[in-house]
Amino acid sequence: MTARPTIRFLDRTTPPHIMTLVLLAGLGALSMNIFLPSLPTMATYFDAEYKLIQLSVSLYLGVNAILQVFIGPISDRYGRRPVMLASIAMFLVATLGTLMAQSVEVFLLFRSLQAVIVAGLVLSRAVVRDMVPQEEAASMIGYVTMGMAIVPMIGPMIGGALDELFSWQASFVLLFVCGVLMLWLAWADLGETAINRSPSFAAQFRQYPELLTARRFWGYCAAAAFASGAFFAYLGGAPYVGTEVFGLTPAALGFYFGAPALGYAFGNFLSGRYSVRFGINRMVLAGTLVTCIGLALLIAVYALGLHHPAVFFGFFTSVGLGNGMVLPNATAGMLSVRPHLAGTASGLGGSIMISGGAALSALAGAVLTPGSGPYPLLYLMLATSAASVLAILYVIRRERQVGVA
């Protein structure tokens, strides 16, 4: 489409309102991080080692990545609406499973199945690309994810407070209630936007080489994957640092843990405001540099002896800021390389990003050991952020060589 279609809120015959897309994407973000301050408590409850219960993050991300490979193509074939509704329903079943689990193995199984809610993020991006062209898509995705940034900012705070007031299960009760509300909202407002659907999966797969041989697609994927990799490493390692290095309670950890989301919200605001003016490549490059510089400064400051948790977690706003600039623009780039495969590109690109994040989350949990301090986590994050700079520089160089084909 070349212009915004008519949108009427709670009218499923028109495309969804932007707030619906924000909330659909936000439920996945809430599911990812609301319980993180409870990880040490959950390890005690299940009588499990921290590195085992931390798999509730990395396994979730791994299944999330696998599902994205399928959700995009399925939505290209059958439409965004039915896939979204089915995914939310399955999320509700999985959430009930986490609440009834009596062993860590059963909990991890249902926790992994909760990853089906990634459809909210994958399809909200694809819906945006269905509705508007590339630069406008980057701007609109920026606004969608700016709103979504509120969720990871307050989610750990709510989860930490719920843990102290009730128990770790309270966070999953809240997820179930939110899931029920989102199922109703999606039913009432999510009109179908995938008008030009593939006639069959065979026809769709025949188009894959067109996407998979596009170097710019892989460049944007790499930039997004490495940039977000720093954040996922933070998800895997920061709870350990907060608890073991700084001795924070779950509520205090939840408060500090939301620091990157402050930067993420502002970074997404910048994307929404300036992507059309400056172009997506410049915005991605600026975001990757912000993240690298912020992490380098944090390593230097910590080495100088400033070990207060407010200083440590405060510097992670730079990671959020960089991600807020990188992800909407890199995503718009992925989806615009081959617009007729927007759902497939969203799913595959998201899968690459999340699978890398799952690996880095698990690695962060593994490299942090008693006595190591936060340095292994910080070095890991800086390395992956530097790789994101190289990836977007490759995209820029490629465009200068051969245009945008």
Side-chain angles (χ1 to χ4, degrees), residues 19 37 40 56 68 109 115-116 120 179 181 192 200 210-211 234 278 280 286 299 310-311 325 366 391 397:
M19 185 52 64
S56 59
Q68 289 194 52
L109 171 64
V116 72
L181 294 174
E192 187 57 69
S200 67
E210 183 182 355
L211 178 66
Y234 171 81
F278 295 111
I280 61 175
I299 292 172
V311 175
M325 298 171 70
R397 180 171 177 268

Side-chain angles (χ1 to χ4, degrees), residues 60-189:
Y60 176 92
L61 293 175
V63 176
N64 186 305
I66 295 170
L67 289 175
Q68 289 194 52
V69 174
F70 298 98
I71 288 172
I74 291 172
S75 73
D76 281 341
R77 173 68 179 88
Y78 294 108
R80 318 299 186 207
R81 177 180 168 84
V83 176
M84 177 63 71
L85 294 174
S87 297
I88 299 174
M90 288 186 282
F91 170 77
L92 292 175
V93 173
T95 303
L96 286 177
T98 63
L99 289 168
M100 294 187 293
Q102 296 299 311
S103 68
V104 67
E105 292 82 8
V106 173
F107 171 80
L108 290 174
L109 171 64
F110 282 106
R111 169 60 185 164
S112 300
L113 295 178
Q114 277 190 308
V116 72
I117 199 59
V118 72
L121 178 58
V122 173
L123 299 185
S124 65
R125 295 183 305 203
V127 166
V128 168
R129 190 61 187 89
D130 291 337
M131 295 165 60
V132 296
Q134 173 178 297
E135 303 296 344
E136 209 174 339
S139 178
M140 191 171 177
I141 290 171
Y143 283 125
V144 167
T145 50
M146 178 180 68
M148 190 185 77
I150 298 173
V151 174
M153 180 169 59
I154 65 175
M157 299 180 193
I158 295 172
L162 288 174
D163 185 296
E164 292 204 351
L165 291 173
F166 303 104
S167 66
W168 65 265
Q169 290 97 331
S171 294
F172 290 87
V173 172
L174 180 60
L175 286 176
F176 183 82
V177 173
C178 290
V180 171
L181 294 174
M182 288 312 305
L183 183 61
W184 170 81
L185 181 59
W187 176 265
D189 189 55

